[in-house]
Amino acid sequence: MPGLLLGDVFPDFEADTTIGKIRFHDFLGSSWGILFSHPRDFTPVCTTELACAAKISDEFKKRGVKMIALSVDSVEDHRNWSKDVMAFNSEAGTALPFPIIADDKRALAVQLGMLDPDEIDKDGIPLTARCVFVIGPDKKLKLSILYPATTGRNFDELLRVIDSLQLTAQKKVATPVDWKPGDKVMVIPSLSEEEAAALFPNGVTTKEVPSGKKYLRYTQP
Ligand code: BEZ
């Protein structure tokens, strides 16, 4: 992903989408955002992913996250493909609950480093990989994930990381392996014992380890 690092302001691009022309920062407003790219319309794995994203779109809404997809086909193709996606979900006739960006010139795919050199179309041009960008209300990149075209993503995992991102944006904690909302979290290493005691009224428990170092500190947020 050349040029775009965690903490960078996400590019404020203009694009044609299934809801008309957008400017990305205006589209986001003061919300969190998730942009997920797809190699191509009318492809099997992409269809299962979009269908899943549509099915759990209320979960993103609950978290205040605006969703937008991208693929390298036209708005017209996206509109037709959306009908297949909703029919796949047995919801034919219902609109896809988020827009799709038409990146048919691959301008954004290039700008955001999304091309997958292993997946080539019939004209020998690379397709987009399965990128995920989570953008905060400050328009800065909070998380990026890059999968090859041949591996579908897990959208429950995307909700889980958004829960972690939103919690850790508010509190001086970090979420351990396989954390889920409601589980204990870890106190970040930069906090002193005194600061941690003051910040976490539910208490801090420290796991003893052979080194004697007190870095495995848990609290209930
Ligand atoms: C798919 O969505 O099924 C797909 C797209 C491009 C390459 C491989 C799979």
Side-chain angles (χ1 to χ4, degrees), residues 194-213:
E194 295 71 33
E195 287 168 325
L199 275 177
F200 304 113
N202 291 333
V204 174
T205 53
T206 305
K207 186 163 173 56
E208 299 295 330
V209 280
S211 68
K213 295 182 193 294

Side-chain angles (χ1 to χ4, degrees), residues 89-160:
N89 270 352
S90 305
E91 291 184 77
T94 308
L96 190 73
F98 49 81
I100 311 177
I101 296 169
D103 193 29
D104 34 355
K105 307 255 177 342
R106 290 171 170 74
L108 280 172
V110 170
Q111 184 183 0
L112 301 174
M114 296 194 287
L115 292 178
D116 180 349
D118 282 345
E119 293 298 335
I120 307 291
D121 72 7
K122 62 179 176 15
D123 302 316
I125 302 172
L127 299 174
T128 29
R130 300 183 193 281
C131 292
V132 180
F133 298 112
V134 179
I135 301 117
D138 57 4
K139 311 287 185 292
K140 291 185 178 168
L141 181 65
K142 304 299 180 189
L143 173 135
S144 67
I145 311 178
L146 180 54
Y147 284 51
T150 41
T151 302
R153 288 157 287 199
N154 180 326
F155 277 70
D156 285 334
E157 169 64 1
L158 299 183
L159 289 172
R160 193 190 74 86

